[in-house]
Amino acid sequence: MTKNSLLALFLLCSLGGAQSLSIQSGFAKDQTVYYSALPDATVKNVERAVKYAKAKKAEKARPLFDAALAECTDVQKCFALADITEQYGSFCTDIRRAAVDKALQLSKNRDDLILVALKGRKFECFEATRDAMQAMIAQSKSREELKDLALKAQEVSLSDLSHLAMEKQYSLVHTVPEALDFARLASALGMEDLVRKTCKELIDDENDVHQLMTILRNIEPFKTPDLYRYLLKKSLDNCKNIDDLYEVYQAARRHRQKDIFDVAAFRAKKFKLIENYNKQSADYREKVERWRQDQSMNQDTGDGDGDITRMAPASGF
């Protein structure tokens, strides 16, 4: 072999050894991280159980894992043990499920419950995940607590928990400003179903045209054109005067709803004609009434024509 070939072979061997060493050190580091959460007395049982698990001796490994789990006194220790058993196949599934269930029982705050929900999903313990999420929802009583829970859940990719928190928060909304704030938060979190539900209920609960136009301006950032049209049609049906129709006409033009602003313009002209007719009728009735009053006063004072048959001289016939 040439010098270049020997040099290349030496470099390959060096790289392979270094890579193997780094893998082993990484594995050792991971194991140290797992064991660090466990007490020293428990580590001995776990190390013995791991040896049996590597040898595929489940009947000897399981009692040692169970004994180690019995010594776990907090959430971190339970999940440290569950993480160790993850790499040893399905025969440790029961141990991982027991570890998750015990961690749920030992949870003391929201962070513990979020960890249980995440680990439960990782280890396919979906009942524990569901119970942890329900516990967090039940513990959150106010709108601020539910908002904080929704944001925290979104950060750790528990979108279903975030949605449940937002749904409960919506049940505590009682005013229009609160509903609009909720819709903005739901839109920021990507929950379009809650945005649409909030906007539609805001429209359904309001009958005043001016207030509906205010709601329209506030929901425009949510980009829901079908709800804009729904609001405009309801506003058109609730118009009581020309000012209401003018507001609907302007909003319909802004949103390019030609059929709605055409109807609004037609009804405004009709309102104007009716107003003019009513005004002219009122003026005419007022003039007639004034003439009758004048006639009555003339008869009382003896002025004017009076009774023609009584006032005229005899004709001689």
Side-chain angles (χ1 to χ4, degrees), residues 63-280:
L64 293 171
F65 279 129
D66 290 338
L69 179 60
E71 298 172 357
C72 294
T73 56
D74 59 37
V75 173
Q76 299 296 334
K77 292 183 177 63
C78 291
F79 288 133
L81 181 62
D83 288 332
I84 291 170
T85 63
E86 185 180 11
Q87 57 185 314
Y88 299 117
S90 59
F91 82 88
C92 291
T93 300
D94 293 340
I95 299 168
R96 288 192 291 273
R97 183 174 288 108
V100 174
D101 290 339
K102 186 171 183 179
L104 178 61
Q105 296 173 2
L106 295 172
S107 297
K108 298 178 180 179
N109 51 49
R110 180 186 293 174
D111 291 337
D112 289 345
L113 289 170
I114 287 178
L115 187 59
V116 170
L118 290 170
K119 291 292 187 178
R121 183 167 293 175
K122 176 183 177 182
F123 297 134
E124 298 183 359
C125 301
F126 300 115
E127 296 85 358
T129 297
R130 180 199 61 201
D131 292 343
M133 291 193 298
Q134 289 177 349
M136 284 184 277
I137 295 295
Q139 290 174 4
S140 301
K141 304 294 185 181
S142 66
R143 290 177 54 239
E144 289 301 321
E145 289 177 346
L146 289 163
K147 177 182 177 181
D148 183 64
L149 177 59
L151 294 173
K152 182 68 175 179
Q154 196 80 355
E155 289 177 3
V156 296
S157 301
L158 287 172
S159 56
D160 44 354
L161 173 60
S162 181
H163 200 281
L164 288 172
M166 290 294 288
E167 286 180 348
K168 184 175 180 180
Q169 183 184 349
Y170 184 64
S171 68
L172 302 177
V173 169
H174 301 296
T175 65
V176 173
E178 289 177 356
L180 290 172
D181 289 340
F182 173 84
R184 295 185 189 101
L185 178 60
S187 178
L189 295 175
M191 300 178 186
E192 298 302 324
D193 58 327
L194 293 179
V195 174
R196 295 182 61 82
K197 178 182 178 181
T198 306
C199 293
K200 188 174 186 303
E201 291 190 3
L202 279 173
I203 297 169
D204 291 339
D205 292 342
E206 184 59 64
N207 291 316
D208 182 75
V209 174
H210 180 71
Q211 294 299 327
L212 284 168
M213 293 299 104
T214 302
I215 291 173
L216 176 61
R217 286 190 289 271
N218 280 283
I219 69 173
E220 282 174 351
F222 302 139
K223 308 298 181 182
T224 52
D226 56 324
L227 290 178
Y228 305 159
R229 182 174 177 82
Y230 177 72
L231 184 150
L232 288 168
K233 289 178 70 176
K234 181 176 181 179
S235 301
L236 185 63
D237 293 338
N238 284 276
C239 287
K240 297 178 180 179
N241 50 54
I242 292 179
D243 291 336
D244 290 346
L245 287 166
Y246 181 73
E247 285 195 74
V248 174
Y249 174 81
Q250 292 291 342
R253 283 194 64 183
R254 188 170 70 252
H255 289 281
R256 300 180 180 179
Q257 301 290 333
K258 186 177 183 302
D259 56 333
I260 294 178
F261 73 70
D262 282 345
V263 173
F266 171 77
R267 290 183 182 177
K269 293 177 182 177
K270 184 178 177 181
F271 262 105
K272 190 66 175 177
L273 289 172
I274 292 173
E275 282 186 359
N276 290 337
Y277 172 76
N278 290 335
K279 183 178 180 181
Q280 292 174 0

